[in-house]
């Protein structure tokens, strides 16, 4: 369920008064997603119909949203296919509707590919797209500390350890410590804007062609290689947590062709694949153990063991970047 705040046709008409996009034809709630309320909006102008997406933000505050509004517009102007807030006739994209921050955005064609159906070609396309996303945001003028970054996982791993089996607690704390050691060499790792959550269900494919990157609301300033590790762990993993080498090679080679790796990234890659698995394992453990409010009983709690198995697989078989 992804409609938490109801929007009526009258509500939408009030919003549309600020725009020159046409008149309302249809308003349809979108079932899918987890954090925000989304509607398909169909408008008609000059006898032509166009579809948009209206998003109401249930968790991000009015003060947090401008970073993402600016980033999406920045990336879209540089050819990255992603939804962005459409400015009204006064140049303002960030709106407020039914006591929620809101954006009216372009609607992209395509569908989400089930992870069991992902091919090396899908992985190559997302590798290219992620590298282009990183390069396009290289000189983006705003910075943001990740909401669930290093300071969060330090504190939460310490808080959660007494609720875990001793072996799991040690595994978690060891990976936090490994990343802290890596941060001592932060100047050797390229960084900038990352997507932060580019799982397979945040990408659309129109046929077999990548058509859009979705949900940039975990974007932050961090190591680009960490972002790539998040993608590799999700897009290239098998049901038992092991990594499909053909898919991962396609992903990494395509990324490398667009943004060549620097020398220290070859050393950092095995650590960051584990860090990425640890971060999402931890974020799933908290609600699963009742240590974090899930916000809504309708929100699905994801299985933490999936990421634990990926972490263990990465420890058994460290990955290697292509040269």
């Amino acid at each position: 369920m992804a409609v938490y705040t109801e929007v009526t046709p009258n509500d939408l008409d009030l919003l549309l008064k600020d725009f020159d996009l046409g008149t309302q034809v249809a308003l349809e709630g979108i079932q899918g997603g987890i954090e925000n309320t989304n509607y398909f909006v169909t408008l008609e102008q000059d006898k032509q119909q166009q579809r948009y997406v209206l998003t109401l933000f249930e968790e991000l505050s009015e003060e947090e949203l401008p970073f993402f509004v600016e980033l999406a517009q920045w990336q879209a102007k540089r050819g990255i296919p992603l939804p962005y807030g459409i400015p009204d006739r006064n140049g303002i994209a960030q709106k407020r509707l039914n006591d929620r921050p809101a954006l009216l955005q372009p609607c992209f064609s395509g569908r989400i590919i089930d992870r069991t159906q992902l091919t090396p070609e899908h992985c190559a396309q997302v590798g290219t797209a992620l590298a282009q996303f990183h390069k396009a945001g290289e000189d983006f003028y705003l910075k943001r500390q990740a909401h669930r970054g290093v300071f969060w996982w330090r504190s939460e791993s310490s808080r959660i350890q007494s609720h875990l089996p001793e072996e799991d607690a040690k595994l978690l704390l060891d990976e936090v410590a490994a990343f802290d050691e890596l941060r001592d060499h932060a100047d050797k790792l390229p960084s900038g804007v990352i997507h932060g959550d580019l799982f397979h269900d945040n990408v659309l494919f129109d046929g077999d062609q990548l058509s859009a990157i979705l949900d940039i609301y975990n974007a932050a300033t961090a190591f680009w290689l960490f972002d790539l590790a998040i993608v590799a762990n999700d897009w290239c993993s098998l049901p038992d947590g092991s990594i499909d080498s053909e898919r991962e090679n396609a992903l990494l080679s395509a990324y490398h062709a667009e943004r060549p790796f620097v020398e220290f990234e070859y050393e950092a890659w095995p650590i960051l694949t584990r860090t990425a698995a640890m971060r999402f394992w931890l974020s799933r453990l908290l609600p699963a153990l009742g240590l974090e409010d899930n916000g809504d009983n309708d929100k699905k709690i994801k299985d933490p063991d999936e990421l634990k198995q990926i972490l263990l697989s990465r420890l058994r078989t460290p990955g290697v970047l292509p040269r």
Side-chain angles (χ1 to χ4, degrees), residues 29-303:
I30 301 175
Q31 306 306 315
I34 297 175
E35 296 181 353
N36 300 317
T37 289
N38 293 286
Y39 284 86
F40 285 128
V41 173
T42 304
L43 304 180
E44 184 173 298
Q45 188 173 49
D46 299 327
K47 298 184 179 179
Q48 298 291 320
Q49 292 190 2
Q50 183 70 41
R51 206 178 202 194
Y52 301 88
V53 172
L54 172 65
T55 298
L56 278 67
F57 295 88
E58 303 291 344
E59 297 184 7
L60 284 175
S61 69
E62 204 117 38
E63 293 73 30
E64 293 174 301
L65 192 54
F67 173 88
F68 304 106
V69 174
E70 293 293 317
L71 175 61
Q73 292 178 342
W74 175 279
Q75 295 281 28
K77 288 176 182 176
R78 286 154 181 79
I80 305 301
L82 80 175
Y84 61 90
I86 298 170
D88 66 12
R89 67 174 64 92
N90 296 311
I92 299 170
Q94 183 172 330
K95 315 298 285 185
R96 191 160 186 84
L97 185 63
N98 293 351
D99 203 33
R100 297 286 188 274
L103 295 176
L104 189 62
Q105 304 167 99
C107 181
F108 287 82
S109 62
R111 64 188 179 92
I112 293 166
I113 305 290
D114 188 272
R115 188 161 57 182
T116 61
Q117 303 299 314
L118 291 172
T119 66
E121 175 57 27
H122 292 131
C123 293
Q125 288 188 53
V126 80
T128 298
L130 183 63
Q132 291 171 343
F133 181 94
H134 290 163
K135 289 168 62 180
E138 186 170 8
D139 52 352
F140 182 58
Y141 52 91
L142 297 177
K143 295 185 182 300
R144 178 179 183 265
Q145 174 69 40
H147 174 59
R148 292 189 166 186
V150 58
F151 302 111
W152 174 83
W153 66 56
R154 277 181 192 160
S155 64
E156 293 305 293
S157 62
S158 178
R159 180 169 75 96
I160 201 176
Q161 62 178 310
S162 63
H163 299 269
L164 295 174
E166 183 177 346
E167 184 178 353
D168 284 2
K170 182 178 185 306
L171 176 61
L172 188 63
L173 294 174
D174 283 351
E175 292 309 317
V176 171
F179 181 78
D180 280 341
E181 290 181 17
L182 184 65
R183 286 184 80 235
D184 291 339
H185 307 280
D187 59 322
K188 299 179 183 178
L189 287 171
S191 63
V193 173
I194 70 166
H195 182 283
D197 193 33
L198 198 57
F199 281 56
H200 70 282
D201 53 1
N202 277 330
V203 175
L204 297 181
F205 284 86
D206 192 352
D208 281 330
Q209 295 299 308
L210 188 151
S211 57
I213 291 171
L214 307 178
D215 193 4
I216 66 164
Y217 303 109
N218 284 284
T221 308
F223 299 142
W224 284 335
L225 202 65
F226 175 66
D227 211 15
L228 183 59
I230 293 171
V231 174
N233 284 349
D234 180 66
W235 288 68
C236 306
S237 62
L238 297 168
D240 64 356
S242 63
I243 300 300
D244 181 327
S245 59
E246 187 179 4
R247 274 188 273 159
E248 183 163 81
N249 287 339
L251 168 74
L252 300 180
S253 296
Y255 183 96
H256 178 55
E258 190 71 29
R259 185 194 71 83
F261 300 118
V262 303
E263 194 58 35
F264 189 69
E265 288 181 301
Y266 290 93
E267 183 178 336
W269 176 246
I271 300 169
L272 287 174
T273 57
R274 289 163 21 212
T275 302
M278 176 273 292
R279 177 261 186 260
F280 285 94
W281 179 34
L282 178 58
S283 65
R284 292 184 182 188
L285 275 170
L286 291 167
L289 294 172
L291 298 175
E292 180 180 83
D293 183 8
N294 199 38
D296 191 298
N297 292 331
D298 290 336
K299 291 184 180 180
K300 181 181 178 182
I301 295 177
K302 296 182 178 180
D303 181 13

